[in-house]
Amino acid sequence: MVLKLWDDPYSTSFQQPVDTDAYDDYLDVVTTPMSLQDVLDKLDAGVYKNQHLNKFANDMRLIWNNCKVYNLHKSQIWYCAHALSLQFERLFQAWVWSFAAGTIFLDEPVARPWESICRVCLSDDQENEDLVMLCDHCDASYHIYCLDPPLSSVPEDAWVCPHCSIWVRNR
């Protein structure tokens, strides 16, 4: 999930720790700096293992909150932090809480929405790329013809996969 956010064009300012030489008052305003690189380092070090999901989520939220505290409300970077925070919360629910609840297991294809394969047929059919759609909640890929029932075309409106539709319906 961190790498998906890292690849977002809005994340450039959040990838590395804030340069406190360039922003010499940053530590006067922000008491606990955090960056995407810091989170990746903690992931590599195993800090978030053994069900420390809240610690991971809190560190990710700290990145966006630090930005919003330090920067002018509704500035361009404030909006970048806001957009990334919304994306994080959506993906955190779809990718992490589903596992924590025990409703989905990593050996199931639907459990890997970050992979670019159809969750049903497990194919990365490049020839039918125009017949692939992404869930608007978890970003998982599906061929329209693999769904039950199959769709005749990609919907123009928002679409939620069968797995996420259960979660959305129960909220």
Side-chain angles (χ1 to χ4, degrees):
M1 176 185 327
V2 178
L3 294 178
K4 181 161 181 77
L5 292 170
W6 185 288
D7 290 340
D8 189 298
Y10 285 175
S11 76
T12 305
S13 298
F14 307 100
Q15 292 173 355
Q16 300 300 322
V18 171
D19 180 355
T20 55
D21 290 332
Y23 302 96
D24 57 359
D25 65 337
Y26 186 75
L27 295 177
D28 295 334
V29 177
V30 172
T31 57
T32 310
M34 187 64 60
S35 70
L36 290 172
Q37 185 61 57
D38 294 329
V39 172
L40 285 173
D41 292 344
K42 287 182 173 189
L43 278 167
D44 288 343
V47 171
Y48 304 124
K49 285 188 177 184
N50 301 322
Q51 301 299 322
H52 286 108
L53 300 176
N54 287 334
K55 184 180 279 194
F56 168 73
N58 288 340
D59 282 351
M60 291 295 292
R61 291 173 182 138
L62 186 59
I63 297 169
W64 325 129
N65 290 336
N66 286 347
C67 175
K68 289 179 174 184
V69 166
Y70 182 75
N71 293 285
L72 185 63
H73 181 68
K74 296 189 178 182
S75 62
Q76 185 175 6
I77 194 166
W78 187 96
Y79 274 115
C80 289
H82 186 67
L84 289 167
S85 73
L86 293 174
Q87 184 177 7
F88 167 75
E89 294 300 334
R90 177 178 59 85
L91 295 176
F92 187 72
Q93 187 289 313
W95 293 8
V96 177
W97 282 123
S98 292
F99 298 109
T103 60
I104 189 169
F105 302 96
L106 283 175
D107 60 346
E108 298 176 37
V110 73
R112 299 183 298 269
W114 50 87
E115 294 179 1
S116 62
I117 61 171
C118 173
R119 298 297 124 214
V120 178
C121 71
L122 307 180
S123 166
D124 186 10
D125 185 2
Q126 298 294 327
E127 291 179 23
N128 291 318
E129 193 173 292
D130 58 329
L131 301 176
V132 174
M133 58 187 179
L134 299 180
C135 173
D136 287 314
H137 184 68
C138 72
D139 289 350
S141 301
Y142 289 83
H143 291 118
I144 61 171
Y145 50 82
C146 289
L147 295 168
D148 184 19
L151 298 177
S152 58
S153 63
V154 174
E156 290 185 26
D157 296 329
W159 177 81
V160 181
C161 73
H163 173 73
C164 292
S165 65
I166 295 168
W167 183 84
V168 169
R169 188 172 44 246
N170 290 333
R171 295 296 153 214

